[in-house]
Amino acid sequence: MDLSANGGFDVRERFAEGAQYVGGTLRGGTSGRSHPVIDPATGESVYAYELAGTADVDAAVAAATRALPGWAGATPGERSDAMHRFAAVLSGRAAEFAYAESLQCGKPLRLTTEFDVPGTVDNTAFFAGAARHLEGRAAGEYSGDHTSYVRREPVGVVGSIAPWNYPLQMAAWKVLPAIAAGNTIVLKPAELTPLTSLMFAQAATEAGIPAGVVNVVTGAGKEAGEHLVGHPDVAMTSFTGSTAVGRRVAEIATATVKRLHLELGGKAPFVVFDDADLEAAVHGAVAGALINTGQDCTAATRAYVQRPLYDAFVAGVADLFSGIRVGDPFDAETDLGPLISHAQRDRVAGFVERARSYATIVTGGEAPASPGAFYRPTLVTGAAQDSEIVQSEIFGPVLVVLPFDSDDEGLALANDTPYGLAASAWTRDVFRAGRATREIKAGCVWVNDHIPIISEMPHGGYRASGYGKDMSAYSLEEYTQVKHVMYDNTAVARKSWHRTIFGGR
């Protein structure tokens, strides 16, 4: 990708007015506290802004409330047309978005160019079409004396909180189904990575989506985030992040009796049966474990390999791990960028260091000499199923491999964590594959692949990984109210059931 195609994008100039987007206008925050956006590949600040305070959240919710009647009252075709224009604006600025995403996250430009940005454009185009298909069930005379039908209506103002690992895609996953269904939204991105969320909201306005429909407040979770979740004028909260923070979000949302959608942590199993294509499984494990430097809640983190293939699998993964090129995200040859921050790198390193006392670090397990937050791909064997490194979400480029003997054992181990977001099964046997997809408790189970997602299919978890769906038409269930409407067909003043109240009078 030619970086000149980003049009001379300058972060400080682009967001000179601030990192809050309220009612179609950029503005500064009112918390009185400044926060930097750090390039994790260099450790240098590329932008500093004033964090949002509660007053900014109130202003954004008020803007969304004002915009709600007009947007909710627009026809599905009108909303669809605006969202098609939105997709076109995003597509036209793909290079700019890819550059900004790589800058704030440290993602290799290859990843943002080929995955994050085109995926977001496709998601926008999908929901532009889905906006015209908000249907209820067919009308009918279910009681005999009445005609019933179902309406789908917007929930209202949505308050969403998105994580730092996929800022652009997570902004899209939150915003698009909400506005396709006629809601308005206030999005709080992570403080570390606000740039592409702000650009996304600006692009929505440029496409003709009315001011106030999409708002962004960039502030701390304890202040801006909790105030947004608990705001009395917010009808629904959608949160993506860790399970621990998700519990806190649920506590606040429950107190105000608002609808809640949670997409939380994961610890995806990667189950390799003894008839699997070994080469495919090895390559799939490396790609699935290292996507976005392992900072992906669906990343392959626990590989369970049936014993006949175990040694060859470990050797194959170790060989590929050792050849992964870690470095500058803007270098076309780079495979793996840094972690999001030095704090996150140190957290990942802590898991690995503690594991040295009970497991074997086959390869990796160190940070290269660099001012950036880099960490080498790390392969671990010999850990017990109940160990920390197997049970806890690490969110880094770390893969743990464990052997199993029987199919029963492999599937039981796959289910033996609190999480249930994603998993994969590797086998040539259709019956084994069928059993795995039935018995693994996860919201997505891939067969002979791991990671691909598509706009038409839902994403969401079981158990401690949360509930509700992103993407696909299923996500519209989260953002719509179902209303039963019933018409009397008899024109009779005294209904037969009235006698249960006042007899024959």
Side-chain angles (χ1 to χ4, degrees):
M1 181 184 199
D2 180 4
L3 284 184
S4 64
N6 68 41
F9 181 86
D10 183 277
V11 175
R12 293 182 176 89
E13 180 181 328
R14 178 66 172 270
F15 299 111
E17 292 87 356
Q20 319 304 324
Y21 193 72
V22 177
T25 304
L26 279 173
R27 51 188 274 181
T30 62
S31 70
R33 300 192 311 281
S34 180
H35 194 281
V37 175
I38 303 293
D39 175 355
T42 65
E44 297 176 357
S45 173
V46 296
Y47 175 61
Y49 64 94
E50 293 298 313
L51 289 165
T54 57
D56 302 301
V57 174
D58 291 340
V61 172
T65 301
R66 289 192 298 271
L68 181 62
W71 184 248
T75 67
E78 289 168 337
R79 290 199 294 266
S80 176
D81 287 348
M83 293 182 71
H84 277 299
R85 294 193 300 270
F86 189 11
V89 172
L90 295 172
S91 182
R93 298 202 170 155
E96 190 176 277
F97 274 94
Y99 172 79
E101 193 79 335
S102 289
L103 183 67
Q104 68 179 352
C105 298
K107 296 170 184 273
L109 194 61
R110 189 195 314 156
L111 179 64
T112 59
T113 303
E114 298 180 14
F115 184 76
D116 298 68
V117 175
T120 300
V121 173
D122 182 74
N123 218 225
T124 307
F126 171 82
F127 279 106
R132 302 185 82 127
H133 296 282
L134 294 170
E135 299 176 348
R137 294 191 178 185
E141 287 67 50
Y142 296 98
S143 78
D145 290 338
H146 305 82
T147 295
S148 290
Y149 70 88
V150 170
R151 289 175 55 87
R152 283 199 177 273
E153 297 180 348
V155 174
V157 176
V158 178
S160 290
I161 300 176
W164 46 256
N165 59 332
Y166 289 101
L168 176 60
Q169 287 196 308
M170 293 298 100
W173 287 16
K174 300 303 183 193
V175 169
L176 296 173
I179 67 173
N183 303 280
T184 56
I185 188 167
V186 178
L187 172 71
K188 193 199 88 65
E191 306 95 296
L192 295 173
T193 55
L195 303 181
T196 49
S197 297
L198 292 164
M199 293 165 63
F200 190 74
Q202 289 177 310
T205 303
E206 183 179 338
I209 293 173
V213 172
V214 181
N215 307 274
V216 176
V217 291
T218 310
K222 285 289 186 182
E223 184 175 3
E226 293 197 1
H227 191 61
L228 178 62
V229 174
H231 200 290
D233 295 331
V234 170
M236 173 187 168
T237 292
S238 177
F239 170 80
T240 297
S242 72
T243 298
V245 177
R247 291 191 185 99
R248 175 60 180 158
V249 169
E251 289 174 3
I252 299 169
T254 300
T256 52
V257 197
K258 53 172 54 80
R259 184 176 294 197
L260 183 60
H261 166 219
L262 298 174
E263 198 265 90
L264 306 177
K267 190 70 178 175
F270 187 102
V271 184
V272 183
F273 294 98
D274 58 13
D275 67 329
D277 181 327
L278 179 63
E279 182 182 12
V282 166
H283 282 80
V286 172
L290 301 185
I291 181 78
N292 199 31
T293 318
Q295 298 167 124
D296 187 311
C297 48
T298 64
T301 59
R302 301 178 287 139
Y304 297 103
V305 184
Q306 207 152 23
R307 208 168 294 274
L309 295 185
Y310 177 81
D311 289 340
F313 180 89
V314 169
V317 170
D319 182 58
L320 287 181
F321 266 24
S322 65
I324 294 293
R325 294 164 295 197
V326 179
D328 179 4
F330 294 102
D331 185 334
E333 298 301 311
T334 293
D335 299 318
L336 201 71
L339 291 153
I340 190 64
S341 66
H342 288 85
Q344 179 64 15
R345 182 199 63 187
D346 293 345
R347 179 180 179 276
V348 171
F351 277 101
V352 176
E353 289 308 306
R354 291 189 295 274
R356 291 184 190 277
S357 66
Y358 59 78
T360 299
I361 312 304
V362 178
T363 187
E366 62 181 3
S370 167
F374 295 95
Y375 196 76
R376 296 196 188 282
T378 300
L379 179 62
V380 180
T381 61
Q385 174 66 17
D386 62 356
S387 63
E388 176 192 52
I389 206 162
V390 173
Q391 292 291 321
S392 299
E393 186 173 35
I394 299 171
F395 231 54
V398 179
L399 177 65
V400 185
V401 186
L402 298 89
F404 70 93
D405 292 303
S406 70
D407 290 15
D408 289 349
E409 181 190 10
L411 295 174
L413 290 170
N415 285 327
D416 186 28
T417 72
Y419 301 103
L421 187 59
S424 63
W426 297 74
T427 177
R428 291 183 172 96
D429 187 320
V430 66
F431 298 104
R432 264 179 164 169
R435 181 185 177 191
T437 61
R438 291 191 303 273
E439 295 188 11
I440 293 176
K441 305 303 181 187
C444 175
V445 180
W446 293 282
V447 177
N448 295 328
D449 209 342
H450 194 109
I451 285 297
I453 54 174
I454 51 175
S455 297
E456 291 83 358
M457 289 292 114
H459 176 88
Y462 286 24
R463 303 187 295 177
S465 291
Y467 47 82
K469 299 300 178 185
D470 289 309
M471 299 199 301
S472 83
Y474 290 97
S475 69
L476 296 171
E477 302 284 342
E478 313 297 328
Y479 296 94
T480 54
Q481 296 275 18
V482 174
K483 177 186 285 185
H484 170 216
V485 178
M486 180 179 261
Y487 283 90
D488 170 59
N489 292 331
T490 66
V492 174
R494 298 288 298 271
K495 306 293 193 290
S496 61
W497 69 267
H498 290 182
R499 69 180 181 275
T500 62
I501 306 302
F502 45 85
R505 298 190 302 278

